[in-house]
Amino acid sequence: MSAARQKLKSARRIVVKVGTSTLSYGEGKLNLYRIEHLIREMADLHNAGKEIIFVTSGAIAAGIGKMGLTKKPDTIPENQALAAIGQGVLMHIYEKFFGEYGQTMAQLLITKNTATDEHARENFHNSLTSILKMGVTPVINENDAVSTDEIKIGDNDNLSALVAGMSDADALIILTDIDGLYNGNPKTDKNARLISEVPKINSEIERMAGGAGTKLGTGGMFTKIQAAKLAAEKNIPMLIISGKEIGNLRRALNGEEIGTIFYKE
Ligand code: GLU
């Protein structure tokens, strides 16, 4: 096993970011099957002595589903309203599943200020540390309802990397709708190959990351590469795996060579 995979395997405090494409169906309805299995996995990892920090997307998608819409509205205030509606819907479901496995969760909503303002950063660190000490799982999202351009991170890939840095995490794992980084487009190029390890992000890697995300999410591979860079600055390995297959989180933490791991050489 490579040193990076070894580091992942022995990671104790792990930020797990799950994207909208994993948490919902395309039209905004939540994928309860995946959510339940994911939370069960996180609860089990917690029982095994890991500290999981769950960064969740999906608030806007949940709001869309709740309001009977099928796509994101055009205006920012409407999206902010849907995030506020959907965040509650998500937490209600998460709370229920964590509760079923005998665990407690705590919601934290942050903005870019939380990472850039020294005072806010310290407050975040203190409350997060207390939450973890209590044996509770932090569940983090951006505070979309109050985020205007200046204080918005905008995508939860970058947000999860900032959280990993602020919480002294040992690893960051991003669950998404693709197995990892490919050297071509696997949908159109049958020779496209999954890259298992990326010790350095160069222009070649950035080119492979290409464009935007899905209809309801915001990220795509581009923001994941940005996140990997932020994580590498803090010497935190970052893994991208598919959130579609149940059990991938556990597999990755057992040292199976799935997904793409980014790390600092
Ligand atoms: N904060 C957004 C939400 O919960 C997600 C941003 C993203 O898709 O990265 O809907």
Side-chain angles (χ1 to χ4, degrees):
M1 193 190 305
S2 71
R5 298 273 177 184
Q6 189 61 54
K7 197 168 171 190
L8 184 69
K9 192 175 176 200
S10 55
R12 181 159 184 274
R13 183 174 292 181
I14 303 147
V15 175
V16 177
K17 183 262 171 177
V18 188
T20 300
S21 59
T22 300
L23 298 167
S24 71
Y25 295 100
E27 306 299 325
K29 294 285 184 209
L30 294 175
N31 190 326
L32 296 172
Y33 180 79
R34 277 202 204 129
I35 293 175
E36 176 165 19
H37 281 82
L38 239 152
I39 290 182
R40 186 158 90 181
E41 252 180 290
M42 289 195 255
D44 190 53
L45 288 166
H46 184 273
N47 283 350
K50 308 267 186 197
E51 285 177 334
I52 304 293
I53 300 171
F54 179 18
V55 172
T56 183
S57 297
I60 295 176
I64 287 171
K66 177 84 177 177
M67 299 309 285
L69 309 172
T70 50
K71 64 178 184 62
K72 274 187 178 178
D74 295 328
T75 72
I76 292 172
E78 281 172 301
N79 277 295
Q80 289 179 307
L82 289 174
I85 294 161
Q87 182 68 22
V89 175
L90 270 187
M91 291 310 107
H92 186 67
I93 291 166
Y94 291 176
E95 170 76 41
K96 171 179 147 46
F97 287 139
F98 274 113
E100 277 180 13
Y101 299 113
Q103 293 186 14
T104 305
M105 51 147 284
Q107 173 191 255
L108 291 107
L109 297 175
I110 66 171
T111 65
K112 198 193 265 173
N113 278 353
T114 316
T116 53
D117 178 286
E118 202 183 319
H119 195 58
R121 195 184 165 96
E122 197 183 314
N123 274 332
F124 172 83
H125 190 269
N126 290 345
S127 55
L128 188 89
T129 308
S130 296
I131 289 166
L132 290 170
K133 244 193 220 151
M134 288 175 189
V136 169
T137 301
V139 180
I140 305 179
N141 195 358
E142 179 150 26
N143 194 348
D144 292 312
V146 301
S147 287
T148 51
D149 277 350
E150 310 87 74
I151 62 161
K152 205 168 168 57
I153 298 161
D155 68 87
N156 279 5
D157 296 322
N158 277 290
L159 181 132
S160 66
L162 292 173
V163 166
M166 288 193 288
S167 53
D168 308 317
D170 302 313
L172 166 61
I173 302 183
I174 294 188
L175 278 79
T176 186
D177 56 357
I178 186 162
D179 299 327
L181 179 70
Y182 280 82
N183 66 353
N185 183 347
K187 286 187 189 129
T188 52
D189 176 3
K190 65 174 175 24
N191 294 321
R193 200 173 44 79
L194 180 75
I195 300 174
S196 174
E197 305 213 347
V198 179
K200 192 174 166 56
I201 297 166
N202 52 26
S203 53
E204 172 84 11
I205 296 290
E206 283 178 333
R207 188 190 53 76
M208 288 172 196
T214 56
K215 196 158 66 163
L216 293 182
T218 43
M221 201 49 80
F222 182 72
T223 51
K224 291 178 181 54
I225 301 292
Q226 291 179 324
K229 280 186 187 168
L230 285 175
E233 274 172 27
K234 303 272 177 192
N235 205 12
I236 300 169
M238 183 189 109
L239 178 78
I240 300 177
I241 46 173
S242 164
K244 290 189 167 164
E245 286 100 55
I246 306 299
N248 264 355
L249 187 56
R250 179 175 198 84
R251 269 181 220 121
L253 289 168
N254 275 338
E256 270 188 47
E257 301 210 349
I258 56 173
T260 302
I261 190 162
F262 299 80
Y263 61 98
K264 201 163 146 194
E265 261 177 319

